[in-house]
Amino acid sequence: MTVRILALVGSLRAGSHNRQLAEAAVRVAPEGSEVELFEGLAEIPFYNEDIDVEGAVPAAAQKLREAAQAADAFLLFAPEYNGTIPAVLKNAIDWLSRPYGSGAFGGKPVAVLGTAYGQFGGVWAQDETRKAVGIAGGKVLEDVKLSIPGSVVRFAETHPSDDAEVAADLTEVVARLHGHVGETAAA
């Protein structure tokens, strides 16, 4: 069985190092795991209960929900914006938390990682992301973390997938996430 992992990136910038990190995760996913990089977070309107109406959910939000429902697990890439979670990633979590009690995260394993310019690699944003996705119903893997500091320098001329240490760390994260899917299914 192939474990389907949906990757959501909290940066919309084309050259984002977090997007590159997600692209690297797609490339290094171990056998039996498939990482899908979700495209389209920019098109999803801000969550508003008035537009979250059965049969009339905005198409972009419905596309996200369908991709999330089909996933076995999630990889969330959280850059740090002003010390916290980027709005686009929080908005995706909000859409996936609904309908209340039966959101798409539904107890599925979630790993949060990322890279940032600062010396801590975006840990504040990643911690806030873990908090939000846990409240939204995801099974946050507190022991599966990867925060890469100094992204502007480290990835100035090297794509994360070409950085041996990062590629090895990403492979380990995806493998551990895959393992948690098996544990969740067996429970």
Side-chain angles (χ1 to χ4, degrees), residues 159-177:
H159 192 282
S161 58
D162 297 325
D163 181 311
E165 179 184 7
V166 170
D169 289 345
L170 275 173
T171 302
E172 175 69 15
V173 165
V174 176
R176 292 183 66 201
L177 185 57

Side-chain angles (χ1 to χ4, degrees), residues 25-78:
V26 170
R27 290 187 195 121
V28 303
E31 189 173 330
S33 297
E34 175 185 291
V35 176
E36 173 195 349
L37 177 52
F38 184 82
E39 302 288 356
L41 290 184
E43 286 77 45
I44 300 171
F46 282 111
Y47 184 79
N48 175 345
E49 239 177 315
D50 292 341
I51 63 172
D52 188 8
V53 179
E54 190 174 336
V57 172
Q62 188 60 37
K63 178 183 168 194
L64 172 64
R65 283 181 171 168
E66 289 169 1
Q69 287 290 353
D72 299 307
F74 299 88
L75 268 176
L76 300 172
F77 293 84

